[in-house]
Amino acid sequence: MRTERAPVVAAAGGVVWRPAADGGIETVAVHRPRYDDWSLPKGKLDAGENALTAAVREVLEETGLQVVAGRRSVRTRYEVAAGPKQVDYWLMRAVGTEEPFEPNDEVDELRWLPVAEAAALMTHEHDRRVVTDLVRDDVPRMPSLLLVRHAKAGSRSDWDGPDDERPLDSRGRRQARQLADVLPVFGPCELLSAERVRCRQTLEPLAERTGLPVRPLPELGEEEFAADPQAGLAVVERLLGRARDGGDQPGVTVVCSQGGAIPSVLMSLGVRWEGVGPGAAGRLYPPAAKGSVWALGGRPGALAADYYREMGPDPDAP
């Protein structure tokens, strides 16, 4: 007889940090009265929610802190009464004016501590591993560039106008709205687009959300990049190099490009992927699905590269 496995209890949270007076960093530990433990701010995903936006929401609800999302951190798995629980974490930098902490239903005490002290305070070993990830020194904590593949634009054969003017279809417009729902958590400070209607349209909902204009970036158009890849790579390296304080400052540049350019850019930066793409048999070829995002920070040899295949609801959300 086949036994059905309990569904995964999906949750998300943040490892919140800020610069310390001694030049290091300190992080947040929270006490949960329901469990009488010291942990990290986290919580279950709401129905149809994206894990990253859920993580930021939970941090705000439990700590009152405004944050900007950084690189993806550790995923923990452990058993609870309802079945296996999976928690996705992101590093998050506290920003803005910090208000005094007010106890709530979930958290009755918050402490800012040096990382080693916070790790020692954690009640659970899986939380300790997440806190320890904060002090990795091989990659930056914060991305400086979001490289977006334009959303779905229908079939080229079904479009009778110039290909540069091919617009998003209904699915692509939905993907663009999903990007606008999630990408603000990274603190966008500039929006750039290849000179294609579908690329610009992919960023327009985000532009409306953030109040930022969409400026042209011709070097990362598919044909332009093929004609002069060095010019395109120079632009990417310049945008990555804008990061200050070792890549730990909040705020990113968002660039929308095309599938003929993004994988080549990533491979030039040293990104490899355990899989193959069209025409890439035998190579570790980075994917770039329509509507997907690569969050990049650092430089070749010390690069943080997180891939977000979808910005819609998490598949494990209830």
Side-chain angles (χ1 to χ4, degrees), residues 6 17 35 37 63 79 108 122 128 137 149 152-153 158 162 164 168 173 176 187 235 239 258 274 284 294 297 299 317:
W17 67 276
Y35 304 102
D37 67 357
T63 70
E79 292 294 323
D108 62 355
M122 292 292 121
R128 198 168 293 120
D137 59 5
R149 168 83 184 274
K152 195 172 185 300
D158 294 336
D164 288 0
L168 299 182
R173 291 191 294 274
V235 168
L239 295 174
Q258 297 175 268
E274 294 183 5
L284 299 179
W294 280 91
R299 54 183 172 74

Side-chain angles (χ1 to χ4, degrees), residues 13-30:
V15 191
V16 184
W17 67 276
R18 68 184 182 186
D22 63 1
I25 62 171
E26 52 189 13
T27 189
V28 164
V30 297

Side-chain angles (χ1 to χ4, degrees), residues 4-254:
E4 296 216 5
R5 299 179 63 185
V8 171
V9 179
V15 191
V16 184
W17 67 276
R18 68 184 182 186
D22 63 1
I25 62 171
E26 52 189 13
T27 189
V28 164
V30 297
H31 182 263
R32 303 184 298 173
R34 178 181 177 185
Y35 304 102
D36 189 22
D37 67 357
W38 284 94
S39 185
L40 296 165
K42 62 180 179 291
K44 296 176 185 176
L45 273 60
D46 290 339
E49 193 172 25
N50 179 275
L52 177 50
T53 54
V56 173
R57 173 183 57 77
E58 287 289 341
V59 167
L60 177 61
E61 290 176 358
E62 294 190 1
T63 70
L65 293 168
Q66 298 286 343
V67 297
V68 171
R71 66 169 169 82
R72 197 192 303 265
S73 186
V74 175
R75 166 183 283 180
T76 65
R77 290 182 68 96
Y78 50 94
E79 292 294 323
V80 295
K85 185 172 184 178
Q86 172 180 296
V87 188
D88 288 303
Y89 287 97
W90 280 264
L91 306 188
M92 300 180 185
R93 178 164 177 169
V95 296
T97 303
E98 187 178 327
E99 300 294 334
F101 170 71
E102 295 186 5
N104 53 71
D105 292 341
E106 298 290 335
V107 174
D108 62 355
E109 187 176 353
L110 179 152
R111 294 183 187 175
W112 281 102
L113 297 167
V115 176
E117 291 183 26
L121 183 62
M122 292 292 121
T123 302
H124 308 288
E125 176 60 30
H126 53 255
D127 288 335
R128 198 168 293 120
R129 287 189 285 109
V130 180
V131 173
T132 302
D133 180 61
L134 184 57
V135 292
R136 282 179 60 185
D137 59 5
D138 57 327
V139 291
R141 298 180 187 95
M142 307 298 291
S144 53
L145 175 63
L146 302 184
L147 196 53
V148 180
R149 168 83 184 274
H150 70 75
K152 195 172 185 300
S155 171
R156 182 179 301 185
S157 61
D158 294 336
W159 172 251
D160 58 6
D163 188 60
D164 288 0
E165 298 176 11
R166 180 158 49 99
L168 299 182
D169 60 17
S170 59
R171 181 181 174 189
R173 291 191 294 274
R174 182 171 67 251
Q175 289 176 319
R177 291 193 298 270
Q178 290 171 342
L179 290 167
D181 288 339
V182 179
L183 297 190
V185 303
F186 289 105
C189 55
E190 185 177 25
L191 308 182
L192 303 174
S193 170
E195 294 188 290
R196 306 292 186 274
V197 166
R198 54 193 178 274
C199 293
R200 188 176 66 253
Q201 287 182 336
T202 298
L203 294 187
E204 283 176 350
L206 181 61
E208 183 176 353
R209 180 72 61 90
T210 61
L212 295 169
V214 180
R215 302 187 189 280
L217 185 65
E219 292 90 342
L220 285 184
E222 195 167 82
E223 294 176 4
E224 294 89 339
F225 184 83
D228 191 353
Q230 291 306 314
L233 292 172
V235 168
V236 170
E237 291 178 3
R238 174 174 58 82
L239 295 174
L240 284 172
R242 285 182 178 178
R244 295 169 292 160
D245 292 349
D248 286 339
Q249 285 283 20
V252 296
T253 299
V254 183

